[in-house]
Amino acid sequence: GRRRREAAEDEVEETPQEKKLRLAKQYLEELRQLGDQGAVLAYSRAWGRVLGSPAHILLFLQVQPPDPARIRVLRGHQLPVTCLVISPDDRFIFSSSKDGSLIKCKWEVDSGKRLCVVPGGKKGTEERHMGHASHVLCMAISSDGKYLATGDRNKLIMIWDAATCKRLHIFTGHRDAVSGLSFRKGTHQLYSASHDRCVKVWDVAENAYVETLFGHQDVITGLDSLSRECCVTAGGRDGTVRLWKIPEESQLVFSGHQGSIDCIQLINEEHMVSGADDGSLALWGLTKKKPLALARQAHGEQESQGLQQPYWISAVAALRNSDLLATGSHSGSVKLWKCGEGFRKLEHLLDIPLVGFVNSLKFSAAGDFLVAGIGQEHRLGRWWRIKEAKNSICIIPLKQKTTAPSPESPGST
């Protein structure tokens, strides 16, 4: 009886839509096992129409190891890169760093040229110049590519015109460093997370504050969202991942890491991935309060002060609506992973050698390249310094072939 009660407590109530999706995926997997690819494609199209988006249907990707000679390195930041985003059309990269003078850069992917630089200034001078006056910790771009949002250690969120790099507005209200930003897909609704332990909701098009959500017991270190009116957050040393349901003003609490949870990203509307400083990588389903899969010491161990310590997971990325993940640390490589067996298994695929702290990772929408923000230091502190690392942005080409057809690309809506 106790076991049944504990199992029930670990379950999150399933909505009718979620049940439909789960059963559809289950039937798709049965078709795949039978080798009926034509039926897979037809069924994917049908359920894509029923669910409103074919992007719910998973791709099963095989990635070929990239040629190190084809990895492009963009130099320009003098201090560690802290965050980056890719424009929805995969043409541009926006990046920020700990630089006092180079706060935000815009890069063209094809040519590698730096198109725009927004200089920063000293603390207290934000109203007299365009840029931030402290370390930028997070960035987000709207799904239509119109707005860019940046958050800094000085509690400020700045809204930019992504095309011209002109600053449009400053949001104030957080009481500590802004550590996570995400636009709700298909809207101009912005979610922000902070070391003040709260999440705020903003309407960027109206330059308006909407509401504040409370619940975390420690600093929030990361945030992500997709199309639904909800977001997920990583709660640092409170050991929890949380799903915030905005209309219901409620939250679901997930736990499973032993250390500080430092990064998080949604894979699709039903699954997410997170990384912690205990070296663990966790794969979650939004209907289970415990991880579906957990890779401990995902990047191995290092010797620190005579002790063996796991390498911190400092960045995670997911190719949306696929089974492909990437993780970064300061272990000397970016690792690619596959979510196997209905998201209940993490399979290591390959390593991509990169020296330095991997402070940010993003897949292109089409999945043909991965971008890494590299620094000599961790984005949140100066616990270690890797002198041989180059403060830079690395564009890593990815060769893929799909083993099951899909009506849309992984990043489609």
Side-chain angles (χ1 to χ4, degrees):
R2 186 181 67 189
R3 287 177 183 171
R4 282 197 295 272
R5 285 195 300 274
E6 289 174 351
E9 288 172 359
D10 284 342
E11 296 282 349
V12 175
E13 188 174 350
E14 191 176 43
T15 66
Q17 181 84 342
E18 289 167 344
K19 184 177 180 180
K20 285 181 182 179
L21 181 58
R22 176 174 58 79
L23 294 174
K25 287 179 179 177
Q26 182 179 323
Y27 184 56
L28 267 173
E29 184 56 31
E30 291 171 0
L31 289 175
R32 284 194 181 95
Q33 291 173 2
L34 292 171
D36 192 343
Q37 300 299 334
V40 168
L41 180 56
Y43 196 74
S44 295
R45 290 184 189 278
W47 272 101
R49 289 190 290 271
V50 171
L51 295 169
S53 170
H56 283 290
I57 306 305
L58 301 175
L59 288 181
F60 292 81
L61 301 175
Q62 290 183 347
V63 181
Q64 311 301 314
D67 180 357
R70 296 189 62 223
I71 297 175
R72 291 189 290 148
V73 180
L74 309 183
R75 300 290 305 278
H77 290 291
Q78 301 303 309
L79 292 180
V81 176
T82 54
C83 53
L84 58 86
V85 293
I86 306 172
S87 64
D89 59 8
D90 288 346
R91 292 180 57 202
F92 305 106
I93 298 168
F94 296 88
S95 62
S96 287
S97 79
K98 294 183 178 181
D99 298 357
S101 58
L102 284 177
I103 290 298
K104 182 167 72 68
C105 290
K106 180 179 180 179
W107 310 81
E108 187 175 54
V109 171
D110 287 343
S111 67
K113 290 182 180 178
R114 195 170 63 191
L115 302 179
C116 175
V117 176
V118 179
K122 293 182 179 179
K123 186 175 180 180
T125 64
E126 290 87 355
E127 294 296 336
R128 299 200 298 273
H129 64 83
M130 285 260 292
H132 289 270
S134 59
H135 297 173
V136 178
L137 299 181
C138 51
M139 308 179 82
I141 191 166
S142 59
S143 54
D144 61 0
K146 183 176 182 180
Y147 295 114
L148 182 76
T150 53
D152 69 14
R153 279 198 176 276
N154 200 28
K155 316 170 192 175
L156 299 180
I157 299 169
M158 293 191 182
I159 307 299
W160 309 81
D161 182 311
T164 63
C165 290
K166 299 294 184 184
R167 193 180 74 196
L168 303 176
H169 194 68
I170 298 179
F171 287 141
T172 60
H174 279 296
R175 293 175 286 108
D176 206 335
V178 180
S179 52
L181 290 168
S182 181
F183 281 94
R184 181 185 170 199
K185 197 171 182 179
T187 76
H188 294 143
Q189 188 176 66
L190 177 69
Y191 305 119
S192 65
S194 168
H195 288 183
D196 65 10
R197 300 181 292 179
C198 72
V199 174
K200 290 185 182 290
V201 185
W202 314 84
D203 186 331
V204 170
E206 299 295 329
N207 290 337
Y209 160 79
V210 179
E211 63 179 309
T212 301
L213 309 170
F214 299 95
H216 276 295
Q217 304 302 306
D218 192 31
V219 300
I220 303 176
T221 54
L223 176 147
D224 196 24
S225 67
L226 280 174
S227 300
R228 293 180 183 172
E229 199 170 354
C230 63
C231 62
V232 295
T233 53
R237 296 206 172 276
D238 77 3
T240 68
V241 165
R242 298 188 184 225
L243 169 68
W244 305 82
K245 297 182 177 182
I246 310 300
E248 296 92 335
E249 297 184 354
S250 65
Q251 58 187 284
L252 299 177
V253 181
F254 305 81
S255 58
H257 288 288
Q258 299 301 312
S260 174
I261 309 171
D262 288 349
C263 44
I264 190 167
Q265 189 171 7
L266 283 160
I267 303 169
N268 53 38
E269 299 285 9
E270 289 80 35
H271 299 90
M272 58 186 169
V273 62
S274 61
D277 70 1
D278 63 359
S280 63
L281 175 68
L283 183 58
W284 309 83
L286 299 188
T287 60
K288 289 277 189 180
K289 295 180 181 179
K290 299 292 183 183
L292 299 178
L294 188 69
R296 302 186 187 278
Q297 299 180 5
H299 278 253
E301 289 184 311
Q302 63 177 331
E303 187 172 328
S304 177
Q305 299 178 341
L307 299 173
Q308 290 296 113
Q309 300 286 343
Y311 282 104
W312 295 6
I313 306 297
S314 53
V316 294
L319 179 56
R320 301 291 197 191
N321 304 298
S322 82
D323 61 350
L324 184 61
L325 307 176
T327 58
S329 182
H330 60 287
S331 60
S333 68
V334 167
K335 291 181 181 288
L336 297 187
W337 305 79
K338 177 184 176 181
C339 305
E341 298 180 8
F343 286 95
R344 294 183 179 277
K345 189 176 180 182
L346 281 166
E347 302 173 18
H348 176 237
L349 295 176
L350 56 93
D351 289 4
I352 302 167
L354 282 179
V355 178
F357 282 87
V358 181
N359 288 325
S360 187
L361 283 170
K362 291 289 186 296
F363 282 102
S364 63
D368 54 351
F369 64 90
L370 174 68
V371 182
I374 306 296
Q376 292 182 329
E377 302 168 350
H378 192 283
R379 72 184 182 101
L380 296 177
R382 306 189 69 181
W383 300 284
W384 299 281
R385 188 166 185 266
I386 302 175
K387 293 181 180 179
E388 59 271 27
K390 306 295 184 185
N391 298 317
S392 59
I393 293 154
C394 296
I395 303 176
I396 305 161
L398 298 176
K399 293 181 181 179
Q400 297 175 356
K401 61 179 181 179
T402 59
T403 60
S406 170
E408 297 287 343
S409 66
S412 63
T413 58

